[in-house]
Amino acid sequence: MPDLTPKIALEEHFMHPEMADYWATTRINISPDLFDKAHAPLTDFGDGRLGVMDAAGIDIAVLSLAGPGVQVEPNADVAIRRAKLCNDYLADKMRDQPRFGGLAHLPMQDPTAASDELERCMTDLGYQGAMINGATNGAYLDEDQFSPFWERAEALGAPIYIHPANPAAMPPMFDGHSELYGPVWSWTVETANHALRLIFGGVFDRYPKAKLVLGHMGETLPFQLWRLDGRWKICNAQGKTLKLQPSEYLKRNLWVTTSGVCSDEPLKCALAALGEDRVLFSVDHPFEQTKLAVDWIEAADISNTTRQKVCSENAKALLGL
Ligand code: MN
């Protein structure tokens, strides 16, 4: 095998011993075999994880809690306490192993506490941004209550990665089709919709330097730019206005990772739609296979300059590494 392109991977997960009860709620979304097998690699911060990284040419793995974490915690005080616990835990691992980065886990039940925790993680603990696992008890990030959070995230230059999770209630369109729950389809719909709520809710008009990250090659949004612009012009927006076309926010405020997508067609679509500075390599370890992701990106039909950008240069720029 030729020399591997150096990589930084952004959607790589771990588990905190006290957070496994939240994670167990995703059991309905994942095959029992994968769910059971994931526990050991999620809790490995040593040779096992580093061996996987070495074999893949991954210099830095930016770690995040396997969701949904405190996004499903009903008690705000418990969410605040456990998010801090989780962030302190990963910070210790990051101090022990400089090849680990981190995305903070945030108690969005209290937007001010979440903002303070983001700032603590970025300023004191060496984190590169935050990951939020979908809606927090049904609250989406375009709601007015989250304005102080976006203001702080923008001021800190913190990338905010929205990771898929189940909605508070499954919409009737999935009735009788549990095979569509989770990573097959419902998470894509849910997460892309969350991002569109931010755009049409004016979050990026109010916070033009906010940085949004989506996995899974942008949850289909790069494919939709023209249609969003074209139909937004004639839809019934009930008085809503935007300063820019929807596609302009996606090009300006969005970065996407390749997590869980290993094929050239969506990669080329994302690169063409958002620009080659906006697509970043990731695996989604241990839920996806690192070797598969690496074999694919090393052979993908793109220039070596673009490959280097996707594999590490874009992450360095976004995360300030
Ligand atoms: Mn993931």
Side-chain angles (χ1 to χ4, degrees):
M1 187 155 193
D3 286 346
L4 292 167
T5 313
K7 297 176 189 71
I8 298 170
L10 278 81
E11 195 194 312
E12 317 311 318
H13 297 301
F14 74 96
M15 182 47 59
H16 182 286
E18 282 194 37
M19 308 291 263
D21 51 343
Y22 300 126
W23 180 54
T25 63
T26 63
R27 204 173 249 285
I28 60 163
N29 303 119
I30 304 172
S31 78
D33 187 47
L34 176 61
F35 189 90
D36 292 337
K37 275 189 189 157
H39 190 261
L42 281 170
T43 53
D44 184 341
F45 295 86
D47 292 345
R49 189 182 290 270
L50 292 168
V52 171
M53 289 168 62
D54 287 341
I58 296 174
D59 293 334
I60 296 173
V62 181
L63 303 182
S64 49
L65 183 77
V70 301
Q71 258 70 76
V72 295
E73 169 57 54
N75 182 309
D77 291 335
V78 174
I80 293 167
R81 182 177 60 75
R82 291 185 124 190
K84 284 178 194 257
L85 198 69
C86 180
N87 291 327
D88 285 339
Y89 180 81
L90 180 59
D92 282 344
K93 306 296 183 191
M94 289 158 64
R95 261 189 296 274
D96 291 345
Q97 177 48 260
R99 291 175 64 190
F100 296 153
L103 296 177
H105 189 55
L106 298 178
M108 303 310 295
Q109 289 84 345
D110 182 333
T112 302
S115 306
D116 291 344
E117 182 62 3
L118 175 65
E119 183 160 353
R120 184 180 81 98
C121 287
M122 298 278 296
T123 307
D124 300 338
L125 300 182
Y127 278 75
Q128 284 79 39
M131 176 175 282
I132 299 172
N133 297 296
T136 300
N137 297 327
Y140 292 90
L141 295 169
D142 60 298
E143 294 179 10
D144 285 345
Q145 61 164 318
F146 295 115
S147 291
F149 172 76
W150 284 111
E151 187 178 343
R152 194 86 65 93
E154 184 188 51
L156 291 164
I160 304 299
Y161 199 131
I162 300 185
H163 188 279
N166 293 322
M170 284 306 270
M173 66 179 165
F174 298 110
D175 285 355
H177 287 275
S178 62
E179 74 281 3
L180 296 179
Y181 289 6
V184 171
W185 185 239
S186 77
W187 284 351
T188 307
V189 177
E190 170 74 12
T191 312
N193 198 73
H194 199 161
L196 292 174
R197 287 181 64 119
L198 297 178
I199 290 174
F200 291 106
V203 169
F204 301 125
D205 276 338
R206 296 195 297 280
Y207 309 103
K209 292 186 174 156
K211 297 172 181 173
L212 175 68
V213 187
L214 296 177
H216 315 107
M217 216 68 92
E219 312 286 5
T220 72
L221 290 176
F223 196 77
Q224 296 290 341
L225 298 194
W226 192 91
R227 183 158 177 79
L228 289 168
D229 288 356
R231 297 295 93 180
W232 159 245
K233 287 179 194 137
I234 60 156
C235 77
N236 179 4
Q238 298 184 321
K240 274 189 199 149
T241 57
L242 291 176
K243 290 180 184 169
L244 304 174
Q245 292 297 315
S247 68
E248 294 178 285
Y249 300 100
L250 290 165
K251 288 168 187 271
R252 187 186 70 185
N253 297 94
L254 178 65
W255 284 254
V256 305
T257 77
T258 65
S259 63
V261 178
C262 301
S263 57
D264 286 6
E265 295 89 344
L267 172 67
K268 289 182 179 185
C269 175
L271 289 165
L274 305 179
E276 55 179 40
D277 297 335
R278 294 304 179 106
V279 182
L280 298 80
F281 176 78
S282 290
V283 176
D284 198 4
H285 175 84
F287 303 109
E288 301 279 349
Q289 297 171 46
T290 302
K291 184 174 186 324
L292 189 70
V294 167
D295 288 350
W296 163 66
I297 197 69
E298 293 288 353
D301 181 25
I302 52 177
S303 74
N304 279 333
T305 305
T306 304
R307 195 180 337 273
Q308 283 165 7
K309 284 187 167 189
V310 170
C311 283
S312 67
E313 297 302 323
N314 292 344
K316 283 182 197 165
L318 176 64
L319 306 175
L321 292 166

